[in-house]
């Protein structure tokens, strides 16, 4: 597992290491004795117990067998998978193609009732037009050298957008003004996308705010993130996809969202910024 920029992932990794160390103590084994039973170097057990090296599923199986705790193997492997899932590199998430990566998020969207999204790079996927989505995913596919399943991935994202119109859900979208002027997909695509944002902003379940470009901001732009209800945050970084569930960290992102929301403009003022960006394309 790659080192995570989130303390949520670090805590999960440490908790697994602590549990493995506890099994060793309960079995009355020293680290050296455990290493001998597992046929490892002595340093390997020490690195795992001190959370310096994450164990593999095979490591956990060997560890539990050595400690006479085979009944705990599957539970500990599940803990490992959870910790791994908190930080996923894009190349790992998308190795089977973009369509699968899009479909994998659908259950999370379906069970969420309150969405908060902040974007400093692109228009959020939930409110993208089909041409804009196609341009974004095509650029990702080419840049990362992925299999070409862009058409299927676009269809999967558009299917996910149906959540916007289903059930008693609320959506709060914040975008930096620079997103409106990024030029993704060319002038025609961007013009259509900006017009779509104006339409989306009129939906009763949607709040759309634009954070204006000003020379004296005290709250700087941040990485794009989504908050799902009050239990999970997903952050899109250059290198990978971060899932945060630690309550204190979720609160930090909720506070950041509130600060950015206070800087944003809405309604007529937001539409004016969108229209200005659209006019600049002509």
């Amino acid at each position: 597992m790659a080192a995570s920029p989130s303390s949520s992932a670090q805590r999960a990794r440490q908790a697994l290491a602590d549990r493995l160390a506890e099994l060793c103590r309960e079995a009355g084994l020293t680290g050296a004795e455990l290493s001998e039973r597992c046929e490892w170097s002595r340093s390997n057990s020490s690195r795992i117990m001190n959370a310096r090296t994450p164990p593999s599923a095979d490591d956990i199986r060997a560890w539990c067998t050595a400690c006479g705790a085979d009944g705990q193997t599957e539970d500990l492997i599940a803990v490992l998978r959870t910790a791994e899932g908190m930080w996923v590199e894009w190349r790992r998430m998308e190795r089977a193609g973009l369509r699968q990566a899009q479909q994998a998020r659908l259950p999370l969207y379906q069970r969420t009732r309150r969405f908060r999204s902040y974007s400093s790079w692109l228009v959020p996927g939930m409110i993208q037009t089909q041409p804009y989505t196609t341009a974004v995913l095509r650029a990702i596919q080419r840049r990362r050298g992925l299999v070409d399943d862009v058409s299927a991935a676009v269809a999967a994202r558009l299917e996910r957008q149906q959540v916007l119109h289903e059930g008693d859900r609320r959506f709060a979208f914040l975008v930096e003004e620079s997103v409106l002027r990024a030029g993704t997909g060319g002038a025609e695509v961007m013009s259509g996308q900006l017009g779509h944002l104006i339409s989306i902003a009129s939906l009763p379940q949607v709040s759309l705010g634009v954070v204006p470009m000003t020379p004296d901001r005290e709250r700087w732009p941040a990485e794009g993130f989504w908050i799902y209800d009050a239990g999970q945050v997903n952050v899109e970084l250059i290198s990978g996809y971060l899932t945060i569930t630690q309550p204190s960290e979720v609160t930090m992102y909720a506070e950041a969202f509130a600060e950015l929301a206070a800087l944003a403009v809405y309604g007529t003022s937001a539409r004016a910024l969108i229209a200005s960006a659209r006019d600049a394309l002509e």
Side-chain angles (χ1 to χ4, degrees):
M1 182 177 65
S4 168
S6 165
S7 61
S8 290
Q10 292 168 354
R11 289 189 185 99
R13 180 169 156 179
Q14 184 64 57
L16 176 59
D18 291 345
R19 181 56 187 144
L20 292 173
E22 184 179 7
L23 287 181
C24 186
R25 290 193 297 272
E26 289 174 350
L29 299 175
T30 65
E33 290 168 337
L34 177 72
S35 295
E36 184 176 349
R37 290 191 181 190
C38 294
E39 299 182 349
W40 293 334
S41 68
R42 292 189 178 188
S43 62
N44 192 45
S45 296
S46 176
R47 288 196 301 269
I48 290 174
M49 281 193 282
N50 289 288
R52 290 196 297 270
T53 298
S56 66
D58 286 341
D59 291 337
I60 290 176
R61 292 187 183 96
W63 195 293
C64 289
T65 297
C67 295
D70 289 305
Q72 299 193 43
T73 300
E74 294 309 313
D75 283 346
L76 290 173
I77 290 176
V79 172
L80 171 67
R81 298 300 184 222
T82 297
E84 288 178 330
M86 288 181 176
W87 172 249
V88 184
E89 291 183 336
W90 291 119
R91 61 184 178 182
R92 178 180 163 195
M93 176 178 284
E94 299 165 346
R95 61 189 171 193
L98 290 167
R99 178 185 62 83
Q100 182 174 316
Q102 294 297 315
Q103 290 178 327
R105 303 182 202 178
L106 182 58
L108 173 61
Y109 281 71
Q110 290 174 329
R111 65 176 179 264
T112 300
R113 289 296 176 267
R114 183 189 181 196
F115 295 79
R116 283 168 286 177
S117 170
Y118 166 75
S119 182
S120 55
W121 294 350
L122 298 166
V123 172
M126 186 67 76
I127 52 176
Q128 292 176 358
T129 64
Q130 181 173 349
Y132 187 96
T133 294
T134 300
V136 169
L137 295 183
R138 176 62 68 192
I140 291 172
Q141 182 263 327
R142 288 173 175 165
R143 185 168 66 250
R144 297 177 184 160
L146 305 173
V147 297
D148 186 357
D149 64 347
V150 171
S151 295
V154 170
R157 177 169 288 186
L158 294 179
E159 178 185 359
R160 198 170 69 204
Q161 288 181 358
Q162 295 306 308
V163 171
L164 190 67
H165 307 283
E166 297 173 350
D168 183 21
R169 294 184 171 90
R170 292 293 180 266
F171 301 83
F173 298 102
L174 292 177
V175 297
E176 294 285 343
E177 184 182 353
S178 57
V179 169
L180 309 178
R181 301 178 181 276
T184 302
E188 183 176 353
V189 169
M190 275 304 300
S191 180
Q193 176 62 69
L194 295 173
H196 183 61
L197 289 183
I198 293 174
S199 299
I200 286 291
S202 68
L203 296 176
Q205 70 273 30
V206 171
S207 168
L208 176 62
V210 179
V211 184
M213 294 186 294
T214 61
D216 57 351
R217 279 178 59 170
E218 293 186 4
R219 185 59 173 91
W220 300 332
E223 67 274 10
F225 60 88
W226 284 80
I227 306 176
Y228 302 92
D229 291 326
Q232 179 173 322
V233 176
N234 284 130
V235 187
E236 296 190 357
L237 304 174
I238 290 175
S239 55
Y241 189 74
L242 177 64
T243 298
I244 293 171
T245 57
Q246 184 70 22
S248 61
E249 289 188 81
V250 173
T251 297
M252 287 176 63
Y253 276 91
E255 290 172 350
F257 187 90
E259 291 173 3
L260 290 161
L263 298 177
V265 296
Y266 303 85
T268 302
S269 297
R271 290 193 295 272
L273 288 177
I274 296 170
S276 175
R278 193 178 187 184
D279 290 344
L281 296 170
E282 297 177 357

